[in-house]
Amino acid sequence: MSIAACLLTPSPLSSPSSLTITPKFPTTFPLHLHLRLSSSATCLRHSRSSPFLTFCAGGDGGDINSNNNNSGGGGGNDENGKHRGGDDENAGDKNRKEAMIVLAEAGRSTESLPKDLAAAIQAGRIPGSVIERFLGLEKSGLMRWLMQFGGFKERLLADDLFLAKVAMECGVGIFTKTAAEYERRRENFFKELEIVFADVVMAIIADFMLVYLPAPTVSLRPPLAVSAGAISKFFYSCPDNAFQVALPGTSYSLMQRLGAVMRNGAKLFAVGTTSSLVGTAITNALINARKAVDKTSAAEVENVPILSTSVAYGVYMAVSSNLRYQVLAGVIEQRILEPLLHQHKLMLSAICFAVRTGNTFLGSLLWVDYARLVGIQKAHEEDTAA
């Protein structure tokens, strides 16, 4: 189709701010255009990837390539755009646009996503990389099922190897704990088998929580109620890992990162105390059964003190385990290994396996020394001398 040329003449009534071009209509059949240019804002739609994205250029120099998404006549931010509120708003807009582009390329909409994830996108709290990870994880039936649980979803979106790390920790836990117990006890290993069993049972129960609680997360939690107290608001704003990398548009103060250590410490104290109660109760039941069968062992084997052992193990997990696993997940893995090996998942998994195995073995050694230091466990030679 061809378009005939039009003979156009400017209107003499045009104002300086508005140019009106009025066509002269010939008797032939050309197509005539009426073009009006004004100083009012012209809206340009970015239609390459997503119909949701709109860039508006203002009359006073709004640049569609600028990071200031609030551009308009006169401007609202300072010339350098360094106000904290403006930066956060710009980062939120950028996150939202990235997420919408990823969804558009995948042929998805926010209505097809979980409600908490869709709300986080609308609030601009998560970038497009998180949505890409979610769409990738959703292809696996197991991952799709696990992401129905909020805690797993937040951790898988922050680290797609989270489930592999849980398997590593629990898989090697029994062997490393047992090896560490043997390293410390040597020839007394079988004489103190009941204590060894209690330690291994406590380790199995606690290993999962040691990976779960200090793991970095992508926060999808709904906002707190306005009536929430100051302490609740403070701990709500703390990250799950004190050393985790903050997402674009998010930042954590030193106090918030210290609060993450305190909050996880309180949780791990409860986990450690509970798991120790279970482990020592099972151990005492086995000791009593052994005494009933073998009368000669009644004087040699004593019941494990339940309360003191449980509290001591809770303190150990709140301090030693808490700090070691926070550093392992937030510094060694997220800040060092993943940036270097993010394109080599197999090598990354192997190194994480080695590091976590060493950390678990170290923790077992520290626990035996700590238990003897506080007096809840004694070496067999000391019992014999007494």
Side-chain angles (χ1 to χ4, degrees):
M1 175 184 295
S2 62
I3 301 178
C6 299
L7 181 58
L8 307 176
T9 59
S11 172
L13 299 178
S14 299
S15 63
S17 62
S18 178
L19 177 62
T20 303
I21 302 177
T22 308
K24 287 186 177 182
F25 294 92
T27 56
T28 56
F29 177 73
L31 177 64
H32 303 284
L33 301 176
H34 185 278
L35 178 61
R36 179 181 295 273
L37 299 178
S38 174
S39 61
S40 59
T42 303
C43 186
L44 305 177
R45 291 192 176 272
H46 181 280
S47 57
R48 179 179 63 85
S49 300
S50 173
F52 302 100
L53 308 183
T54 303
F55 299 88
C56 291
D60 289 342
D63 182 4
I64 63 174
N65 295 320
S66 172
N67 289 330
N68 184 5
N69 296 322
N70 293 326
S71 59
N77 297 335
D78 65 342
E79 59 182 359
N80 295 322
K82 293 182 179 179
H83 284 314
R84 176 64 180 273
D87 289 346
D88 290 345
E89 187 174 354
N90 291 341
D93 290 343
K94 182 180 179 181
N95 289 342
R96 190 182 305 109
K97 291 172 183 177
E98 287 180 359
M100 289 300 189
I101 289 175
V102 172
L103 288 175
E105 291 176 348
R108 300 283 296 272
S109 64
T110 55
E111 288 76 13
S112 65
L113 302 178
K115 293 182 179 180
D116 53 357
L117 187 60
I121 292 175
Q122 295 298 334
R125 301 205 314 264
I126 55 177
S129 58
V130 174
I131 304 302
E132 289 178 348
R133 179 168 292 170
F134 173 81
L135 297 177
L137 291 170
E138 203 178 30
K139 297 176 182 178
S140 168
L142 176 60
M143 296 297 184
R144 185 167 57 251
W145 178 75
L146 286 174
M147 286 194 296
Q148 294 178 354
F149 306 97
F152 275 100
K153 179 164 54 184
E154 290 183 338
R155 286 159 176 79
L156 287 169
L157 291 179
D159 181 8
D160 52 358
L161 292 179
F162 169 73
L163 195 61
K165 293 173 182 178
V166 171
M168 293 176 197
E169 197 74 32
C170 296
V172 303
I174 296 176
F175 302 102
T176 54
K177 297 289 184 185
T178 305
E181 294 286 342
Y182 182 78
E183 177 68 21
R184 278 287 186 259
R185 305 179 192 279
R186 293 290 182 176
E187 64 275 5
N188 297 321
F189 180 81
F190 292 101
K191 295 178 182 179
E192 301 173 354
L193 195 59
E194 291 82 3
I195 298 177
V196 173
F197 182 80
D199 290 346
V200 174
V201 169
M202 287 187 290
I204 295 173
I205 296 175
D207 275 344
F208 171 78
M209 299 305 296
L210 283 172
V211 183
Y212 184 88
L213 289 178
T217 62
V218 173
S219 179
L220 301 176
R221 292 169 292 183
L224 283 177
V226 180
S227 59
I231 296 178
S232 299
K233 291 180 179 179
F234 170 72
F235 283 111
Y236 174 86
S237 66
C238 296
D240 285 283
N241 185 287
F243 306 100
Q244 76 176 62
V245 178
L247 292 174
T250 305
S251 62
Y252 301 111
S253 65
L254 177 60
M255 289 302 299
Q256 287 174 321
R257 293 187 181 276
L258 291 176
V261 176
M262 296 172 58
R263 182 180 60 190
N264 276 343
K267 292 180 179 180
L268 287 174
F269 174 80
V271 171
T273 302
T274 303
S275 63
S276 181
L277 284 172
V278 175
T280 51
I282 295 175
T283 298
N284 286 343
L286 292 176
I287 290 175
N288 293 331
R290 178 178 174 182
K291 289 179 179 180
V293 175
D294 185 4
K295 300 297 184 181
T296 59
S297 64
E300 297 180 2
V301 183
E302 297 181 357
N303 287 349
V304 179
I306 296 179
L307 184 59
S308 59
T309 300
S310 301
V311 173
Y313 193 63
V315 173
Y316 170 79
M317 286 192 65
V319 179
S320 175
S321 299
N322 182 27
L323 294 177
R324 284 187 293 107
Y325 278 86
Q326 293 247 15
V327 172
L328 173 61
V331 178
I332 298 177
E333 291 180 341
Q334 190 178 46
R335 292 184 178 269
I336 299 177
L337 295 180
E338 290 183 7
L340 293 175
L341 302 171
H342 66 280
Q343 293 182 342
H344 306 279
K345 294 294 185 181
L346 185 59
M347 185 181 299
L348 177 60
S349 299
I351 295 179
C352 288
F353 176 82
V355 172
R356 285 184 172 273
T357 301
N359 177 65
T360 304
F361 185 75
L362 173 63
S364 298
L365 298 179
L366 293 175
W367 162 247
V368 174
D369 289 340
Y370 166 76
R372 289 177 176 174
L373 178 66
V374 299
I376 59 175
Q377 292 183 8
K378 296 180 179 180
H380 188 71
E381 294 88 347
E382 296 177 1
D383 292 341
T384 303

